[in-house]
């Protein structure tokens, strides 16, 4: 005796055994769940129910009254499990049983959806829940010294690891639970995939042919095909290698590029006999100021240099992962690059224009010194500058009379030039010419006036600052400070040791003058017999910047210290 | 791939005459194009939702009411495209096979 239920399927009443009912109910539930999130899912379920009703009606005919579990199983077999609905190939449904209900299984498959060659790395990535890139990089890196052994390993893996073809296998590959909702998820992905393929069918013959021939590849056989495949794999390997090389080049360029513009201490390397690090941004600041043009120019330069670097990187990534070209990337990059070029050209023109006119500002000062003792010419000792100068921690642009140093904020120093001439009268006179460039004469003169340079007269001592600075917020436009000191005939001049720094090379043998006493004669300066008493330097009160004369100055460095510091320098230590 | 062909076949069957699901199933099974019937219904629904098919209900003596499917004008146009695509494909494959 069996318990029987009465059910209504699509408006038709059936008597059904209890066990048959349970199976049928489970089946319908699984279908409902399967289509629960599909567009038109309800309709599909209704259609299937209709079909079930129709088949059951056919089976029982007129004689029988009750539906048994056999009937239900026949119906279910005919309609199939929801897992089989979305399947690409319906050729092998029998091989897949629903033996994996809710069972969490994980198997190693090759991943055809994420494959560069055979999908081995893609499958490994899915299995270990890692980005397959790491396996790919690992393989490629191992190939470099391993001379193809890893390649052989790859081919063997390719041969022995099965490809994940069905939804269930793909889930197993990822170790996801094989249940209806997960299958549904992966099938939904597949349906999207298929939609595209379906559309492809209508597109051009060539494209369609290509796709189909790929799909049929496993069916085709023959030597020619195998050779083609090998060639294809070979080309792919070459492309991936090329991609990796491009990627590495791009990456190092981008690092260098970012270092240039922003990063890593903000520094640029200028290599001469000395290494000096100067911030690129401060160079730009020096020439363009800190206004909007600075920003635009930097942006322009960033685009002009950065876009090609990024494209190299992008090209590398594309080759490595076999990505299709995304449309507009190339053209967008090109337009941005053109914009960068335009900005750079515009500011380049603007800058060159702003150097086109010269202007001079002149100062004449009569100097009153006691003429009984020699006039002492000295360079003011400014600690900060001394440390830069003594350690040669700078880069000198001879023809521009300027030096650039490592200092972040204060890295520019202009070098004044002093010329000694015979005075036509009895007075001692100093002429100072401030020169600068600008886009107009007027601008150049104003800029020249803004230049800050100090000198002082104290008793018989004339102190010159070793450098001049640009005015506040002033940009660099070839500012120069040139001085002419007019000395009456007969006056003795005592040059300090440091005077060579500011003496104008064009008119004087500056190293010969420095540290000695000279006399102005009718024919010019002549080395004097006169031996002056040791002078005592007086600290000028009106130059707050100037430090006291270092008492250690001129003191001979002990031989051991000298040798030691040289050995350190040879060893590469920055002393 | 098989799916796209399947949809092509379904459209072709329906374009010949008005049919209901079981007729289509019968022909597809005959041609060994599908194994489980459940495959058909989602495809029909999608083709219908895409406006390529329309249907009407018809009462049946032997079972539940049946959905009779008919191809729409849009469906005919689409099918023409598919025919062309298919022919091109077959030609291409045959050329490849050297026939």
């Amino acid at each position: 005796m069996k318990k029987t239920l009465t059910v209504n399927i699509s408006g038709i009443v059936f008597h059904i055994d209890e066990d048959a009912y349970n199976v049928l109910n489970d089946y319908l539930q699984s279908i409902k769940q399967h289509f629960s999130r599909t567009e038109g899912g309800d309709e599909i379920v209704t259609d299937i129910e209709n079909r079930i009703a129709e088949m059951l009606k056919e089976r029982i005919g007129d004689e029988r009254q009750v539906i048994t579990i056999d009937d239900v199983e026949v119906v279910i077999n005919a309609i199939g499990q929801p897992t089989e609905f979305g399947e690409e190939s319906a050729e092998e449904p029998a091989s897949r049983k629903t033996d994996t209900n809710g069972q969490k299984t994980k198997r190693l498959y090759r991943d055809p959806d994420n494959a560069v060659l055979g999908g081995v790395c893609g499958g490994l990535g899915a299995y270990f829940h890692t980005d397959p890139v790491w396996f790919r990089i690992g393989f490629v890196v191992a190939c470099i010294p391993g001379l193809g052994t890893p390649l052989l390993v790859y081919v063997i893996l390719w041969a022995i690891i099965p490809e994940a073809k069905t939804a269930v296998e793909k889930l197993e590959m990822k170790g996801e639970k094989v249940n209806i909702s997960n299958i549904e998820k992966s099938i939904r992905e597949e349906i999207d995939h298929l939609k595209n393929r379906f559309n492809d069918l209508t597109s051009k013959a060539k494209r369609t042919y290509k796709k189909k021939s790929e799909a049929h590849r496993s069916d085709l056989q023959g030597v020619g095909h195998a050779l083609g495949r090998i060639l294809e794999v070979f080309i792919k390997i070459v492309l991936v290698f090329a991609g990796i090389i491009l990627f590495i080049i791009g990456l190092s360029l981008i690092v260098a590029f970012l270092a240039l513009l922003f990063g890593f201490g903000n520094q640029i390397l200028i290599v001469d006999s000395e290494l000096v690090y100067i911030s690129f941004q401060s160079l730009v600041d020096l020439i363009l100021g800190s206004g909007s043009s600075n920003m635009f120019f930097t942006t322009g330069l960033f685009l002009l240099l950065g876009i090609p670097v990024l494209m190299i990187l992008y090209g590398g990534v594309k080759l490595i992962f076999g990505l299709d070209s995304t449309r507009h990337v190339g053209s967008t990059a090109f337009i941005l690059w053109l914009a960068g070029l335009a900005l750079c050209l515009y500011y380049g023109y603007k800058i060159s224009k702003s150097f086109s006119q010269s202007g001079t500002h002149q100062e004449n000062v009569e100097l009153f010194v006691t003429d009984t003792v020699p006039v002492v010419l000295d360079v003011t000792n400014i600690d900060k500058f001394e440390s830069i100068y003594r350690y040669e921690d700078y880069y000198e642009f001879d023809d521009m009379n300027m030096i650039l140093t490592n200092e972040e904020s204060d890295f520019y120093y202009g070098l004044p030039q002093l010329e000694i001439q015979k005075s036509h009268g009895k007075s001692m006179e100093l002429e100072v010419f401030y020169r600068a460039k600008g886009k107009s004469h007027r601008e150049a003169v104003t800029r020249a006036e803004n230049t800050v340079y100090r000198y002082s007269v104290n008793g018989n001592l004339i102190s010159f600052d070793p450098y001049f600075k640009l005015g506040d917020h002033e940009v660099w436009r070839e500012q120069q400070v040139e001085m002419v000191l007019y000395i009456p005939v007969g006056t003795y001049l005592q040059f300090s040791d440091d005077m060579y720094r500011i003496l104008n090379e064009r008119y004087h043998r500056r190293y010969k003058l420095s540290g000695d006493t000279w006399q102005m004669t009718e024919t010019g300066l002549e080395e004097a017999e006169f031996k002056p008493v040791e002078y005592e330097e007086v600290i000028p009160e009106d130059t707050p910047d100037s430090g006291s004369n270092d008492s250690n100055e001129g003191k001979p460095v002990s031989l051991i210290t000298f040798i030691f510091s040289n050995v350190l320098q040879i060893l590469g230590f920055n002393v | 791939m098989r799916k796209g062909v399947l949809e092509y076949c379904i459209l072709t069957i329906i374009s010949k005459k008005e049919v209901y699901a079981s007729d289509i199933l019968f022909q597809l099974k005959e041609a060994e194009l599908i194994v489980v019937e459940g495959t058909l219904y989602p495809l029909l629904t999608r083709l219908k939702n895409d406006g390529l098919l329309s249907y009407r209900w018809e009462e049946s003596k032997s079972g539940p009411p049946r959905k009779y499917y008919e191809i729409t004008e849009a469906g005919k146009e689409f099918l023409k495209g598919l025919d062309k695509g298919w022919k091109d494909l077959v030609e291409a494959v045959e050329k490849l096979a050297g026939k």
Side-chain angles (χ1 to χ4, degrees):
Chain A
M1 190 185 76
K2 269 185 170 173
K3 199 173 165 186
T4 310
L5 300 162
T6 306
V7 292
N8 170 350
I9 307 174
S10 296
I12 298 186
V13 175
F14 292 102
H15 298 291
I16 183 167
D17 281 344
E18 195 179 17
D19 50 354
Y21 168 79
N22 286 336
V23 172
L24 186 60
N25 192 38
D26 284 352
Y27 178 66
L28 281 173
Q29 287 308 320
S30 74
I31 287 178
K32 265 184 197 156
Q33 206 189 340
H34 177 66
F35 289 113
S36 63
R37 272 181 283 162
T38 313
E39 198 192 338
D42 290 343
E43 196 177 350
I44 297 170
V45 173
T46 313
D47 287 348
I48 291 173
E49 276 188 22
N50 272 351
R51 177 65 182 153
I52 291 169
E54 193 181 55
M55 283 169 86
L56 289 175
K57 187 84 183 162
E58 265 172 33
R59 280 192 69 80
I60 55 170
D62 292 331
E63 306 104 60
R64 285 203 289 146
Q65 290 193 328
V66 178
I67 293 164
T68 66
I69 194 153
D70 291 339
D71 299 322
V72 170
E73 269 170 3
V74 167
V75 168
I76 289 175
N77 272 339
I79 293 176
Q81 290 295 333
T83 47
E84 294 161 320
F85 291 177
E87 263 158 27
E88 238 177 296
S89 66
E91 285 147 271
E92 57 220 308
S95 68
R96 220 168 3 270
K97 292 285 171 209
T98 51
D99 57 352
T100 42
N101 291 333
Q103 200 68 27
K104 184 168 177 163
T105 50
K106 200 178 192 182
R107 282 185 204 146
L108 187 57
Y109 286 102
R110 285 184 292 115
D111 186 353
D113 299 335
N114 194 4
V116 172
L117 292 176
V120 172
C121 291
L124 284 169
Y127 189 80
F128 293 107
H129 282 289
T130 323
D131 197 318
V133 172
W134 300 114
F135 291 101
R136 288 186 189 129
I137 291 173
F139 262 112
V140 172
V141 168
C143 276
I144 296 166
L147 291 170
T149 317
L151 213 63
L152 193 68
V153 172
Y154 187 95
V155 172
I156 292 168
L157 287 176
W158 192 347
I160 61 172
I161 300 174
E163 187 177 354
K165 283 180 187 152
T166 67
V168 175
E169 284 168 352
K170 280 175 189 170
L171 287 173
E172 282 177 350
M173 176 180 74
K174 290 172 191 163
E176 281 181 51
K177 272 192 175 179
V178 183
N179 59 29
I180 295 277
S181 70
N182 268 336
I183 289 173
E184 187 211 308
K185 194 175 88 186
S186 82
I187 284 177
R188 198 191 304 279
E189 282 167 13
E190 199 143 348
I191 283 175
D192 288 343
H193 195 57
L194 287 167
K195 265 186 190 162
N196 297 337
R197 291 187 178 194
F198 185 48
N199 293 338
D200 280 349
L201 200 62
T202 55
S203 62
K204 285 177 192 165
K206 262 187 196 166
R207 271 185 65 191
T208 322
Y209 154 64
K210 202 177 153 203
K211 289 242 168 200
K212 302 300 169 183
S213 68
E214 266 171 28
H216 278 303
R217 177 165 294 136
S218 54
D219 302 329
L220 298 171
Q221 273 167 0
V223 182
H225 166 66
L227 280 177
R229 183 83 183 130
I230 288 166
L231 193 68
E232 194 179 310
V233 168
F234 178 73
I235 289 168
K236 259 190 166 173
I237 290 171
V238 170
L239 284 179
V240 168
F241 262 112
I244 285 166
I245 289 165
L246 274 185
F247 184 80
I248 290 168
I249 291 173
L251 207 63
S252 34
L253 278 177
I254 218 158
V255 167
F257 176 64
L258 288 178
L260 172 69
L261 278 193
F262 316 105
F264 313 141
N266 221 4
Q267 284 163 348
I268 187 176
L269 190 68
I270 293 178
V271 183
D272 198 50
S273 53
E274 296 288 322
L275 297 180
V276 174
Y277 303 88
I278 293 158
S279 149
F280 176 76
Q281 201 55 52
S282 20
L283 269 181
V284 175
D285 285 350
L286 187 64
I287 292 169
L288 278 168
S290 47
S292 59
S293 47
N294 186 327
M295 197 188 75
F296 283 124
F297 175 72
T298 312
T299 310
L301 202 66
F302 183 84
L303 293 174
L304 189 70
L305 300 176
I307 293 289
V309 171
L310 279 178
M311 287 314 283
I312 289 173
L313 202 64
Y314 174 70
V317 170
K318 235 170 62 176
L319 283 177
I320 295 171
F321 302 116
L323 299 177
D324 286 340
S325 288
T326 321
R327 240 188 298 168
H328 308 311
V329 168
S331 44
T332 310
F334 185 62
I335 288 166
L336 285 174
W337 182 81
L338 279 183
L341 182 68
L343 279 172
C344 284
L345 285 178
Y346 173 71
Y347 283 103
Y349 172 74
K350 228 178 130 175
I351 290 166
S352 72
K353 195 91 175 135
S354 70
F355 276 91
S356 60
Q357 300 293 322
S358 308
T360 308
H361 165 68
Q362 191 181 345
E363 266 176 26
N364 281 39
V365 191
E366 201 174 334
L367 303 174
F368 299 98
V369 294
T370 2
D371 55 357
T372 51
V373 282
V375 174
V376 178
L377 301 180
D378 194 14
V379 174
T380 319
N381 192 325
I382 297 172
D383 281 348
K384 188 176 168 189
F385 191 73
E386 285 310 296
S387 65
I388 291 165
Y389 211 89
R390 284 205 192 284
Y391 293 115
E392 296 193 346
D393 198 7
Y394 62 88
Y395 185 82
E396 185 165 5
F397 294 86
D398 286 332
D399 43 346
M400 300 188 185
N401 296 318
M402 62 185 241
I403 62 175
L404 302 179
T405 82
N406 289 350
E407 294 291 322
E408 264 296 314
S409 54
D410 219 11
F411 78 109
Y412 166 87
Y413 296 95
L415 301 177
Q417 299 287 302
L418 175 69
E419 187 195 345
I420 315 282
Q421 274 197 15
K422 188 178 76 177
S423 170
H424 296 295
K426 284 280 167 199
S427 62
M428 195 179 288
E429 222 177 295
L430 182 67
E431 262 180 15
V432 187
F433 300 94
Y434 297 93
R435 299 185 205 282
K437 298 266 167 94
K439 63 172 179 278
S440 65
H441 177 70
R442 207 188 163 81
E443 192 191 86
V445 171
T446 316
R447 187 166 285 136
E449 283 170 1
N450 285 340
T451 306
V452 182
Y453 181 64
R454 281 178 312 213
Y455 51 89
S456 65
V457 182
N458 204 315
N460 66 331
L461 172 69
I462 307 173
S463 292
F464 297 94
D465 268 12
Y467 63 86
F468 65 88
K469 299 291 284 181
L470 310 178
D472 282 345
H473 310 296
E474 195 58 86
V475 290
W476 179 77
R477 291 289 178 271
E478 274 184 47
Q479 279 92 337
Q480 305 276 356
V481 172
E482 285 172 14
M483 295 174 285
V484 183
L485 182 62
Y486 293 94
I487 302 291
V489 173
T491 309
Y492 285 99
L493 284 178
Q494 189 185 340
F495 293 91
S496 81
D497 289 341
D498 289 336
M499 275 307 283
Y500 71 91
R501 292 192 205 165
I502 62 165
L503 282 171
N504 195 326
E505 216 174 1
R506 262 187 295 167
Y507 309 107
H508 301 295
R509 288 170 295 165
R510 47 188 191 156
Y511 289 101
K512 197 160 169 36
L513 293 178
S514 298
D516 275 315
T517 306
W518 292 66
Q519 187 181 24
M520 182 56 76
T521 68
E522 286 296 339
T523 51
L525 283 174
E526 273 183 21
E527 204 152 8
E529 295 297 319
F530 180 81
K531 287 293 170 201
V533 284
E534 286 292 308
Y535 67 90
E536 251 175 66
E537 196 172 322
V538 185
I539 305 151
E541 283 153 20
D542 57 340
T543 51
D545 264 10
S546 61
S548 63
N549 219 350
D550 193 353
S551 56
N552 286 334
E553 196 188 331
K555 182 183 163 191
V557 183
S558 81
L559 190 63
I560 291 173
T561 318
F562 178 75
I563 293 169
F564 187 63
S565 69
N566 271 289
V567 168
L568 280 179
Q569 265 177 355
I570 290 163
L571 290 175
F573 289 93
N574 198 0
V575 184
Chain B
M1 199 284 294
R2 184 64 80 107
K3 258 295 179 40
V5 173
L6 213 48
E7 290 172 67
Y8 175 43
C9 295
I10 292 166
L11 275 178
T12 309
I13 293 169
I14 295 171
S15 73
K16 284 179 187 153
K17 72 180 214 293
E18 216 185 14
V19 284
Y20 85 108
S22 299
D23 296 334
I24 304 170
L25 281 171
F26 178 76
Q27 291 192 39
L28 288 177
K29 278 183 171 175
E30 194 91 315
E32 291 182 353
L33 276 163
I34 64 167
V35 173
V36 293
E37 297 187 359
T39 316
L40 176 70
Y41 297 99
L43 295 181
L44 280 177
T45 306
R46 203 166 70 228
L47 290 172
K48 187 212 73 184
N49 288 345
D50 287 346
L52 305 178
L53 298 178
S54 62
Y55 69 87
R56 59 179 177 81
W57 287 104
E58 193 169 283
E59 289 299 327
S60 156
K61 287 159 269 169
S62 61
R66 293 167 176 181
K67 259 183 185 173
Y68 272 85
Y69 287 95
E70 194 177 26
I71 194 159
T72 62
E73 281 307 313
K76 281 177 192 162
E77 277 305 303
F78 191 65
L79 186 59
K80 262 184 211 161
L82 287 179
D83 278 333
K84 172 95 174 48
W86 181 255
K87 278 197 191 96
D88 290 347
L89 169 66
V90 170
E91 256 170 49
V93 172
E94 282 180 351
K95 197 190 273 175
L96 186 80
K99 280 177 190 170

